[in-house]
Amino acid sequence: MIYTESSNEQGSPEWFAERRGIPTASEFKRFITATGKYSESQGKDSYIAELIAAKLGWQPSFEGNDDTHRGHFMEDEARRWLQLRTGVKVRTSGFCLHESGKYGASPDGFTAQGNPVEIKSPALHTFIKWRMAGGVPKDHIVQCHAHMAVTGADKCVFVAYADSEHIDNFYEVVERDEFTDKVTESVVKFCEQLEGWQRKLTGDEYDAIFA
């Protein structure tokens, strides 16, 4: 699988511009359940509406908040920790666009082997809950498989970074499997619906439907 990766820094105006109106891995959970099934929910419809509005400039796309800014700040530390723990070099990543040009992802890094890295720096009580449950949190498993669906990688490294002297960070390696295939199928279906609504609302079909 061939994908293109931008050189623009995540969080920069150029990065926000190039992903505007494009479904991205961090939001796939809005139309894919924790079991990998496609969800015909209000969350899915809201995401379609947001993407169309952002693409057409009808409203600005999301450009971060205090939580995302904190997350970006902690990612450098988390990448360094992962390198020290595993001995594997980790580089930063730009926006990765799937070869179809229809959806993408912005992993928090790539290992030297080309595997995407997803980093989360939650509040300490959330981190502790994750350690108690074990494995990758259900809220983030879709995103890990989405990174593989976009890039074609066979593995994704999930890092939970606590930034605390009282408890150690942890990482999990997620491998490509049937769940990855389910995510890919769901994303393709979502993109078809997104394109359908774009035609109805802005293209030749508009007058016939709404006139």
Side-chain angles (χ1 to χ4, degrees), residues 162-205:
D163 187 34
S164 171
E165 62 182 9
H166 302 295
I167 191 168
D168 196 15
N169 312 303
F170 73 93
Y171 75 94
E172 297 279 347
V173 177
V174 182
E175 297 193 0
R176 174 180 288 271
D177 57 19
E178 293 180 356
F179 193 97
T180 320
D181 297 333
K182 290 181 179 180
V183 167
T184 301
E185 292 171 2
S186 294
V187 174
V188 170
K189 183 174 181 179
F190 177 84
C191 290
E192 290 174 350
Q193 293 190 337
L194 172 63
E195 292 170 356
W197 275 110
Q198 285 176 333
R199 289 193 300 271
K200 290 177 181 179
L201 294 171
T202 66
D204 296 335
E205 299 178 40

CSV table of all heavy atoms in Angstrom, one decimal, residues 162-205:
chain,number,residue,atom,x,y,z
A,162,ALA,N,2.2,8.7,31.5
A,162,ALA,CA,1.6,9.2,32.7
A,162,ALA,C,2.4,10.5,33.2
A,162,ALA,O,1.8,11.3,33.8
A,162,ALA,CB,1.7,8.2,33.8
A,163,ASP,N,3.6,10.6,32.8
A,163,ASP,CA,4.4,11.8,33.3
A,163,ASP,C,4.3,11.9,34.8
A,163,ASP,O,4.1,13.0,35.4
A,163,ASP,CB,4.0,13.1,32.6
A,163,ASP,CG,4.9,14.2,32.9
A,163,ASP,OD1,6.1,14.0,33.1
A,163,ASP,OD2,4.4,15.4,33.1
A,164,SER,N,4.6,10.8,35.5
A,164,SER,CA,4.5,10.7,37.0
A,164,SER,C,5.6,9.9,37.5
A,164,SER,O,6.0,8.9,37.0
A,164,SER,CB,3.1,10.2,37.4
A,164,SER,OG,3.1,9.9,38.8
A,165,GLU,N,6.2,10.4,38.6
A,165,GLU,CA,7.3,9.6,39.3
A,165,GLU,C,6.7,8.5,40.1
A,165,GLU,O,7.5,7.7,40.6
A,165,GLU,CB,8.1,10.6,40.2
A,165,GLU,CG,7.3,11.2,41.3
A,165,GLU,CD,8.1,12.2,42.1
A,165,GLU,OE1,9.2,12.5,41.7
A,165,GLU,OE2,7.6,12.6,43.2
A,166,HIS,N,5.4,8.4,40.2
A,166,HIS,CA,4.8,7.4,41.1
A,166,HIS,C,4.4,6.1,40.4
A,166,HIS,O,4.1,5.1,41.0
A,166,HIS,CB,3.6,8.0,41.8
A,166,HIS,CG,4.0,9.2,42.7
A,166,HIS,ND1,4.8,9.2,43.7
A,166,HIS,CD2,3.6,10.5,42.5
A,166,HIS,CE1,5.0,10.4,44.3
A,166,HIS,NE2,4.3,11.2,43.5
A,167,ILE,N,4.2,6.2,39.0
A,167,ILE,CA,3.7,5.1,38.3
A,167,ILE,C,4.4,5.1,36.9
A,167,ILE,O,4.6,6.1,36.3
A,167,ILE,CB,2.2,5.1,38.2
A,167,ILE,CG1,1.7,3.8,37.6
A,167,ILE,CG2,1.7,6.3,37.4
A,167,ILE,CD1,0.1,3.7,37.7
A,168,ASP,N,4.7,3.9,36.4
A,168,ASP,CA,5.5,3.8,35.2
A,168,ASP,C,4.5,3.9,34.0
A,168,ASP,O,3.4,3.5,34.0
A,168,ASP,CB,6.2,2.5,35.1
A,168,ASP,CG,7.3,2.4,34.0
A,168,ASP,OD1,7.7,3.5,33.5
A,168,ASP,OD2,7.8,1.4,33.7
A,169,ASN,N,5.1,4.4,32.9
A,169,ASN,CA,4.3,4.4,31.6
A,169,ASN,C,4.3,3.0,31.1
A,169,ASN,O,4.9,2.1,31.5
A,169,ASN,CB,5.1,5.3,30.6
A,169,ASN,CG,5.4,6.6,31.2
A,169,ASN,OD1,4.6,7.4,31.7
A,169,ASN,ND2,6.7,7.0,31.2
A,170,PHE,N,3.4,2.8,30.0
A,170,PHE,CA,3.4,1.5,29.4
A,170,PHE,C,3.1,1.6,27.9
A,170,PHE,O,2.6,2.7,27.5
A,170,PHE,CB,2.4,0.6,30.1
A,170,PHE,CG,0.9,0.9,29.8
A,170,PHE,CD1,0.2,0.3,28.8
A,170,PHE,CD2,0.2,1.8,30.6
A,170,PHE,CE1,-1.1,0.6,28.5
A,170,PHE,CE2,-1.1,2.1,30.3
A,170,PHE,CZ,-1.8,1.5,29.3
A,171,TYR,N,3.4,0.6,27.2
A,171,TYR,CA,3.1,0.5,25.8
A,171,TYR,C,2.6,-0.9,25.4
A,171,TYR,O,2.9,-1.8,26.1
A,171,TYR,CB,4.3,0.9,24.9
A,171,TYR,CG,5.4,-0.2,24.8
A,171,TYR,CD1,5.4,-1.1,23.7
A,171,TYR,CD2,6.4,-0.3,25.8
A,171,TYR,CE1,6.4,-2.0,23.6
A,171,TYR,CE2,7.4,-1.2,25.7
A,171,TYR,CZ,7.4,-2.1,24.6
A,171,TYR,OH,8.3,-3.1,24.5
A,172,GLU,N,1.8,-0.9,24.3
A,172,GLU,CA,1.3,-2.2,23.8
A,172,GLU,C,1.5,-2.2,22.3
A,172,GLU,O,1.3,-1.1,21.7
A,172,GLU,CB,-0.2,-2.3,24.1
A,172,GLU,CG,-0.6,-2.4,25.6
A,172,GLU,CD,-0.3,-3.8,26.2
A,172,GLU,OE1,-0.2,-4.8,25.4
A,172,GLU,OE2,-0.4,-4.0,27.4
A,173,VAL,N,1.8,-3.3,21.7
A,173,VAL,CA,1.9,-3.4,20.3
A,173,VAL,C,0.6,-4.1,19.8
A,173,VAL,O,0.2,-5.2,20.2
A,173,VAL,CB,3.1,-4.3,19.9
A,173,VAL,CG1,3.1,-4.5,18.4
A,173,VAL,CG2,4.4,-3.7,20.4
A,174,VAL,N,-0.1,-3.3,18.9
A,174,VAL,CA,-1.3,-3.8,18.3
A,174,VAL,C,-1.0,-4.4,16.9
A,174,VAL,O,-0.3,-3.7,16.1
A,174,VAL,CB,-2.4,-2.7,18.2
A,174,VAL,CG1,-3.7,-3.2,17.6
A,174,VAL,CG2,-2.6,-2.1,19.5
A,175,GLU,N,-1.4,-5.6,16.6
A,175,GLU,CA,-1.1,-6.2,15.3
A,175,GLU,C,-2.3,-6.2,14.4
A,175,GLU,O,-3.4,-6.3,14.8
A,175,GLU,CB,-0.5,-7.6,15.5
A,175,GLU,CG,0.7,-7.6,16.3
A,175,GLU,CD,1.4,-9.0,16.2
A,175,GLU,OE1,0.9,-9.9,15.6
A,175,GLU,OE2,2.5,-9.1,16.8
A,176,ARG,N,-2.0,-6.1,13.1
A,176,ARG,CA,-3.1,-6.2,12.1
A,176,ARG,C,-3.8,-7.5,12.1
A,176,ARG,O,-3.1,-8.6,12.3
A,176,ARG,CB,-2.4,-6.0,10.7
A,176,ARG,CG,-3.4,-6.2,9.5
A,176,ARG,CD,-2.7,-6.0,8.2
A,176,ARG,NE,-2.3,-4.6,8.0
A,176,ARG,CZ,-3.1,-3.7,7.4
A,176,ARG,NH1,-4.3,-4.1,6.9
A,176,ARG,NH2,-2.8,-2.5,7.2
A,177,ASP,N,-5.1,-7.5,12.1
A,177,ASP,CA,-5.9,-8.7,12.1
A,177,ASP,C,-7.2,-8.4,11.5
A,177,ASP,O,-7.4,-7.4,10.7
A,177,ASP,CB,-6.1,-9.2,13.5
A,177,ASP,CG,-6.7,-8.2,14.5
A,177,ASP,OD1,-7.3,-7.2,14.0
A,177,ASP,OD2,-6.6,-8.3,15.7
A,178,GLU,N,-8.2,-9.2,11.7
A,178,GLU,CA,-9.6,-9.1,11.1
A,178,GLU,C,-10.2,-7.8,11.5
A,178,GLU,O,-11.0,-7.2,10.8
A,178,GLU,CB,-10.5,-10.3,11.5
A,178,GLU,CG,-10.0,-11.6,10.9
A,178,GLU,CD,-10.9,-12.7,11.3
A,178,GLU,OE1,-11.9,-12.5,12.1
A,178,GLU,OE2,-10.7,-13.8,10.8
A,179,PHE,N,-9.9,-7.3,12.7
A,179,PHE,CA,-10.4,-6.0,13.2
A,179,PHE,C,-10.0,-4.9,12.2
A,179,PHE,O,-10.7,-4.0,11.9
A,179,PHE,CB,-10.0,-5.7,14.6
A,179,PHE,CG,-10.7,-4.6,15.3
A,179,PHE,CD1,-11.8,-4.9,16.1
A,179,PHE,CD2,-10.4,-3.3,15.1
A,179,PHE,CE1,-12.5,-3.8,16.7
A,179,PHE,CE2,-11.0,-2.2,15.7
A,179,PHE,CZ,-12.1,-2.5,16.5
A,180,THR,N,-8.7,-4.9,11.8
A,180,THR,CA,-8.2,-3.9,10.9
A,180,THR,C,-9.0,-3.9,9.6
A,180,THR,O,-9.3,-2.9,9.0
A,180,THR,CB,-6.7,-4.2,10.5
A,180,THR,OG1,-6.0,-4.6,11.7
A,180,THR,CG2,-6.1,-3.0,9.9
A,181,ASP,N,-9.4,-5.1,9.1
A,181,ASP,CA,-10.2,-5.3,7.9
A,181,ASP,C,-11.6,-4.7,8.1
A,181,ASP,O,-12.1,-4.0,7.2
A,181,ASP,CB,-10.3,-6.7,7.5
A,181,ASP,CG,-9.0,-7.4,7.1
A,181,ASP,OD1,-8.0,-6.6,6.7
A,181,ASP,OD2,-8.8,-8.6,7.3
A,182,LYS,N,-12.1,-4.9,9.3
A,182,LYS,CA,-13.5,-4.3,9.6
A,182,LYS,C,-13.4,-2.8,9.6
A,182,LYS,O,-14.3,-2.1,9.1
A,182,LYS,CB,-14.0,-4.8,10.9
A,182,LYS,CG,-14.3,-6.3,11.0
A,182,LYS,CD,-14.8,-6.7,12.4
A,182,LYS,CE,-15.2,-8.1,12.4
A,182,LYS,NZ,-15.7,-8.5,13.8
A,183,VAL,N,-12.3,-2.3,10.2
A,183,VAL,CA,-12.2,-0.8,10.2
A,183,VAL,C,-12.1,-0.3,8.8
A,183,VAL,O,-12.7,0.7,8.4
A,183,VAL,CB,-10.9,-0.4,11.0
A,183,VAL,CG1,-10.6,1.1,10.8
A,183,VAL,CG2,-11.2,-0.7,12.5
A,184,THR,N,-11.3,-0.9,7.9
A,184,THR,CA,-11.1,-0.5,6.6
A,184,THR,C,-12.5,-0.5,5.8
A,184,THR,O,-12.8,0.5,5.1
A,184,THR,CB,-10.1,-1.4,5.8
A,184,THR,OG1,-8.9,-1.3,6.5
A,184,THR,CG2,-10.0,-0.9,4.4
A,185,GLU,N,-13.2,-1.6,6.0
A,185,GLU,CA,-14.5,-1.7,5.3
A,185,GLU,C,-15.5,-0.6,5.8
A,185,GLU,O,-16.2,0.0,5.0
A,185,GLU,CB,-15.2,-3.0,5.6
A,185,GLU,CG,-14.4,-4.2,5.0
A,185,GLU,CD,-14.9,-5.5,5.4
A,185,GLU,OE1,-15.9,-5.6,6.3
A,185,GLU,OE2,-14.4,-6.6,5.0
A,186,SER,N,-15.5,-0.3,7.1
A,186,SER,CA,-16.3,0.8,7.7
A,186,SER,C,-15.9,2.2,7.1
A,186,SER,O,-16.8,3.0,6.9
A,186,SER,CB,-16.3,0.7,9.2
A,186,SER,OG,-16.8,-0.4,9.7
A,187,VAL,N,-14.6,2.4,7.0
A,187,VAL,CA,-14.2,3.7,6.5
A,187,VAL,C,-14.6,3.9,5.1
A,187,VAL,O,-15.0,5.0,4.7
A,187,VAL,CB,-12.6,3.8,6.7
A,187,VAL,CG1,-12.1,5.1,6.1
A,187,VAL,CG2,-12.3,3.8,8.2
A,188,VAL,N,-14.4,2.9,4.3
A,188,VAL,CA,-14.8,3.0,2.9
A,188,VAL,C,-16.3,3.3,2.8
A,188,VAL,O,-16.8,4.1,2.0
A,188,VAL,CB,-14.5,1.7,2.1
A,188,VAL,CG1,-15.1,1.7,0.7
A,188,VAL,CG2,-13.0,1.5,2.0
A,189,LYS,N,-17.1,2.6,3.6
A,189,LYS,CA,-18.6,2.9,3.6
A,189,LYS,C,-18.9,4.3,4.0
A,189,LYS,O,-19.8,5.0,3.4
A,189,LYS,CB,-19.3,1.9,4.5
A,189,LYS,CG,-20.8,2.0,4.5
A,189,LYS,CD,-21.5,0.9,5.3
A,189,LYS,CE,-23.0,1.0,5.3
A,189,LYS,NZ,-23.6,-0.1,6.1
A,190,PHE,N,-18.2,4.8,5.0
A,190,PHE,CA,-18.4,6.1,5.5
A,190,PHE,C,-18.1,7.1,4.4
A,190,PHE,O,-18.8,8.1,4.2
A,190,PHE,CB,-17.5,6.4,6.7
A,190,PHE,CG,-17.6,7.8,7.3
A,190,PHE,CD1,-18.7,8.2,8.1
A,190,PHE,CD2,-16.7,8.8,6.9
A,190,PHE,CE1,-18.8,9.5,8.6
A,190,PHE,CE2,-16.8,10.1,7.3
A,190,PHE,CZ,-17.8,10.4,8.2
A,191,CYS,N,-17.0,6.9,3.7
A,191,CYS,CA,-16.6,7.8,2.7
A,191,CYS,C,-17.6,7.9,1.5
A,191,CYS,O,-17.8,8.9,0.9
A,191,CYS,CB,-15.2,7.4,2.1
A,191,CYS,SG,-13.8,7.8,3.3
A,192,GLU,N,-18.2,6.7,1.2
A,192,GLU,CA,-19.2,6.7,0.2
A,192,GLU,C,-20.4,7.5,0.6
A,192,GLU,O,-21.0,8.2,-0.2
A,192,GLU,CB,-19.6,5.2,0.0
A,192,GLU,CG,-18.5,4.4,-0.7
A,192,GLU,CD,-18.9,2.9,-0.8
A,192,GLU,OE1,-19.9,2.5,-0.2
A,192,GLU,OE2,-18.2,2.2,-1.5
A,193,GLN,N,-20.8,7.4,1.9
A,193,GLN,CA,-21.9,8.2,2.4
A,193,GLN,C,-21.6,9.7,2.4
A,193,GLN,O,-22.4,10.5,2.0
A,193,GLN,CB,-22.4,7.7,3.7
A,193,GLN,CG,-23.0,6.3,3.7
A,193,GLN,CD,-23.6,6.0,5.1
A,193,GLN,OE1,-23.3,6.6,6.1
A,193,GLN,NE2,-24.6,5.1,5.0
A,194,LEU,N,-20.3,10.0,2.8
A,194,LEU,CA,-19.9,11.4,2.8
A,194,LEU,C,-19.9,12.0,1.4
A,194,LEU,O,-20.5,13.1,1.2
A,194,LEU,CB,-18.5,11.5,3.3
A,194,LEU,CG,-17.7,12.8,3.3
A,194,LEU,CD1,-18.5,13.9,4.1
A,194,LEU,CD2,-16.3,12.7,3.7
A,195,GLU,N,-19.4,11.3,0.4
A,195,GLU,CA,-19.4,11.8,-0.9
A,195,GLU,C,-20.9,11.9,-1.5
A,195,GLU,O,-21.2,12.8,-2.2
A,195,GLU,CB,-18.6,10.8,-1.8
A,195,GLU,CG,-17.1,10.8,-1.5
A,195,GLU,CD,-16.4,9.7,-2.2
A,195,GLU,OE1,-17.0,8.9,-2.9
A,195,GLU,OE2,-15.1,9.7,-2.1
A,196,GLY,N,-21.7,11.0,-1.1
A,196,GLY,CA,-23.1,11.0,-1.5
A,196,GLY,C,-23.8,12.3,-1.0
A,196,GLY,O,-24.5,13.0,-1.8
A,197,TRP,N,-23.6,12.6,0.3
A,197,TRP,CA,-24.2,13.9,0.8
A,197,TRP,C,-23.5,15.1,0.2
A,197,TRP,O,-24.2,16.1,0.1
A,197,TRP,CB,-24.1,13.8,2.3
A,197,TRP,CG,-25.2,13.1,3.0
A,197,TRP,CD1,-25.2,11.9,3.6
A,197,TRP,CD2,-26.6,13.5,3.0
A,197,TRP,NE1,-26.4,11.5,4.0
A,197,TRP,CE2,-27.3,12.5,3.6
A,197,TRP,CE3,-27.3,14.6,2.5
A,197,TRP,CZ2,-28.7,12.5,3.8
A,197,TRP,CZ3,-28.7,14.6,2.7
A,197,TRP,CH2,-29.3,13.6,3.3
A,198,GLN,N,-22.3,15.1,-0.1
A,198,GLN,CA,-21.6,16.2,-0.7
A,198,GLN,C,-22.3,16.5,-2.1
A,198,GLN,O,-22.5,17.7,-2.4
A,198,GLN,CB,-20.1,16.0,-0.9
A,198,GLN,CG,-19.4,16.1,0.4
A,198,GLN,CD,-17.9,15.7,0.2
A,198,GLN,OE1,-17.5,14.9,-0.6
A,198,GLN,NE2,-17.1,16.2,1.1
A,199,ARG,N,-22.6,15.4,-2.8
A,199,ARG,CA,-23.2,15.6,-4.1
A,199,ARG,C,-24.6,16.2,-4.0
A,199,ARG,O,-25.1,17.1,-4.7
A,199,ARG,CB,-23.3,14.3,-4.9
A,199,ARG,CG,-21.9,13.8,-5.4
A,199,ARG,CD,-22.1,12.7,-6.4
A,199,ARG,NE,-22.7,11.6,-5.8
A,199,ARG,CZ,-22.1,10.6,-5.2
A,199,ARG,NH1,-20.8,10.6,-5.1
A,199,ARG,NH2,-22.8,9.5,-4.7
A,200,LYS,N,-25.4,15.7,-3.0
A,200,LYS,CA,-26.7,16.1,-2.8
A,200,LYS,C,-26.8,17.5,-2.3
A,200,LYS,O,-27.7,18.3,-2.7
A,200,LYS,CB,-27.4,15.2,-1.7
A,200,LYS,CG,-27.7,13.8,-2.2
A,200,LYS,CD,-28.3,12.9,-1.1
A,200,LYS,CE,-28.5,11.5,-1.6
A,200,LYS,NZ,-29.1,10.7,-0.5
A,201,LEU,N,-25.9,18.0,-1.5
A,201,LEU,CA,-25.9,19.3,-0.9
A,201,LEU,C,-25.3,20.4,-1.7
A,201,LEU,O,-25.6,21.6,-1.6
A,201,LEU,CB,-25.3,19.3,0.5
A,201,LEU,CG,-26.0,18.4,1.5
A,201,LEU,CD1,-25.2,18.3,2.8
A,201,LEU,CD2,-27.4,19.1,1.9
A,202,THR,N,-24.3,20.0,-2.6
A,202,THR,CA,-23.5,21.0,-3.3
A,202,THR,C,-23.4,20.8,-4.8
A,202,THR,O,-23.0,21.7,-5.5
A,202,THR,CB,-22.1,21.1,-2.8
A,202,THR,OG1,-21.4,19.8,-3.0
A,202,THR,CG2,-22.1,21.3,-1.3
A,203,GLY,N,-23.8,19.6,-5.3
A,203,GLY,CA,-23.6,19.3,-6.7
A,203,GLY,C,-24.9,19.3,-7.5
A,203,GLY,O,-25.9,20.0,-7.2
A,204,ASP,N,-24.9,18.5,-8.6
A,204,ASP,CA,-26.0,18.5,-9.5
A,204,ASP,C,-27.3,18.0,-8.9
A,204,ASP,O,-28.4,18.3,-9.5
A,204,ASP,CB,-25.6,17.6,-10.8
A,204,ASP,CG,-24.4,18.2,-11.5
A,204,ASP,OD1,-24.2,19.4,-11.4
A,204,ASP,OD2,-23.7,17.4,-12.2
A,205,GLU,N,-27.2,17.2,-7.9
A,205,GLU,CA,-28.4,16.6,-7.3
A,205,GLU,C,-29.2,17.6,-6.4
A,205,GLU,O,-30.3,17.4,-6.1
A,205,GLU,CB,-28.1,15.4,-6.5
A,205,GLU,CG,-27.4,14.3,-7.3
A,205,GLU,CD,-27.0,13.1,-6.4
A,205,GLU,OE1,-27.8,12.8,-5.5
A,205,GLU,OE2,-26.0,12.5,-6.6
